[in-house]
Every structure is written in C-alpha cells, then in structure tokens.
Amino acid sequence: MSDDNKSRLASILAPLESLWIEGNGDQNFVPPGHEACAEVDIGGIIFRHIMDAADTRPEISAHYHPAAVIHHRGARLRRPCFVRARTKMIIRLSGF
C-alpha cells in the first residue's frame, strides 16, 4: 500500500474503533491508534487471515481471493465473490 493510501485509510479509520487482523500483505502496517492481532473470537466467530481447515468453529478469513468466472457468448467476466461452507466463510477484500 502506498504511503498516500495508508494515510487515507488512517484518516477514514481515525474516528472508529477497530481491530486489525494482520495478513501477509500488511508488511507490519497497522493504522495508528488501532490494535492488531492474528485472530480474534467475536461472538463465537473466529476472524483470522488464513482459514484453518482443522478448526471446526465458525470462521471468517480473507487470505484466499475467490472469484467467479462466467463465460457467455465469447466474453469472459471475472468478479470477486464470497465462498461459504457450513462453518467457513472466505471473503474477498482486495481487487482482482
């Protein structure tokens, strides 16, 4: 993330209370004044960066970047999507 974008994100988050789940692309960046952790349990749902397939608790993660691809009349359309199973949800946070 560029310094300009880091500054923009920090100003958006400034009035909010947040918990930053660190991922492999963060390069030790945590918005100033915000707490970071590897994972957190909120209301029985585990939030972490990389899915833990062995953990049976409900979990939301974002390391993988799922996308749906549709082919129609010779055109190819690729868009971010969510992937959900009984206890797992993988969300898409970055561009494609």
Side-chain angles (χ1 to χ4, degrees):
M1 185 183 305
S2 71
D3 288 341
D4 187 46
N5 284 340
K6 286 179 184 179
S7 178
R8 186 174 295 126
L9 178 61
S11 58
I12 290 169
L13 292 176
L16 305 172
E17 181 180 332
S18 71
L19 184 60
W20 190 265
I21 306 295
E22 289 186 296
N24 60 308
D26 294 326
Q27 300 159 343
N28 298 317
F29 171 72
V30 177
H34 296 270
E35 183 182 344
C37 65
E39 67 179 53
V40 65
D41 180 329
I42 299 175
I45 299 172
I46 307 302
F47 292 82
R48 60 170 57 108
H49 181 66
I50 299 177
M51 178 186 74
D52 181 348
D55 194 335
T56 59
R57 299 175 294 174
E59 171 191 281
I60 297 175
S61 64
H63 174 76
Y64 303 104
H65 303 284
V69 178
I70 298 170
H71 296 271
H72 180 68
R73 295 185 180 178
R76 179 180 180 270
L77 182 65
R78 182 177 191 269
R79 293 292 185 261
C81 68
F82 297 91
V83 174
R84 183 185 65 83
R86 192 175 69 72
T87 61
K88 308 288 182 200
M89 178 179 275
I90 300 174
I91 60 174
R92 177 76 183 251
L93 296 176
S94 61
F96 51 93

